[in-house]
Amino acid sequence: MKRVFVLSAALLAFVTPAIAAPDWTAVAGALGKSGTEMAGGIYRVGFPRSDLHVQLAGITLKPTFALGSWVAFRPMGDQAMVMGDLVLTEDEVEPVMKSLLNSGIEITALHNHLFNARPATFYMHIGGTGVPVKMASAIHAALGLSKTPFSSPPSPSAPPASIDLDTAAIDAALGAKGSIAGGVYQVGIPRAEPAMAAGMAVTGPLGGAESINFQPLGGGEAAITGDFILVAKEVNPVLRALRSHGIDVTAIHNHMLDDEPRMFFMHFWAHGDLKVLLAGLKAALSEVAVQKA
């Protein structure tokens, strides 16, 4: 007689060891700053370069507009994958890079985002897989060789309710709802199919969304910057759409080493009448396979 044994859910949990989620409190302690747990269990920490006073075209750029360093951890069993984008001045690049490499963190890209900004800033993308606390300690040590602030700005008593921009028009043109952060209106638009890296989906918190920032200039004008994440066939159509609407393309490059499909990041800059800028951004987005609201 053949016997069939069925394990109850409780017994199965007992005999199959569970993989503990990373201790994000310990990761925050190692980084020297706490972050936010986001969709997909991703833990993201921002390091805005509030110490820098960068100007471009007579505009003082807000840290949340174009100077936002960040790192994000995504659990992988009892380890994690880390990705990040570090904003550095020219003299900070070499010591930070050396420290990261010596600790086993990979450098996946180094480039500019803007033309003619003073002082010039550079953007170092990093990646790695391992024990989250150890990687956090390595990143903290490297950033300690820069002037990146680890303290958080004082929290306002209430979240900002408004900004000097027609945010309804922005949301309608881009087909996505943005949010206010540090006096900047930020919009992230997910791709229809996210890229994969190390077997994981590169979602918005990992830098995998079309990212567009608006800094109000008053009188219905704004400055815009950000980056489009594109597959190869989208690069030149988006490039043409932006340039035909007076939006400067300032960089085209990769952020990752093993992404599938291969993704290209196109950075842009412009300032002027918000309605004119939105027409260009809408035309560019029409060439991109993004999620529909």
Side-chain angles (χ1 to χ4, degrees), residues 185-199:
Y185 197 64
Q186 301 178 334
V187 184
I189 307 163
R191 288 192 61 86
E193 295 288 340
M196 303 293 290

Side-chain angles (χ1 to χ4, degrees), residues 46 145 227:
L145 300 175
D227 57 354

Side-chain angles (χ1 to χ4, degrees), residues 56-59 215 217 221-224 246-247 269-274 277:
L56 174 56
I59 301 166
Q215 181 172 322
L217 302 179
E221 296 198 344
I224 59 170
I247 299 174
W269 154 268
H271 64 97
D273 183 85
L274 178 61
L277 299 175

Side-chain angles (χ1 to χ4, degrees), residues 10-29:
L11 183 58
L12 184 62
F14 177 78
V15 300
T16 305
I19 297 175
D23 182 351
W24 297 133
T25 301
V27 169

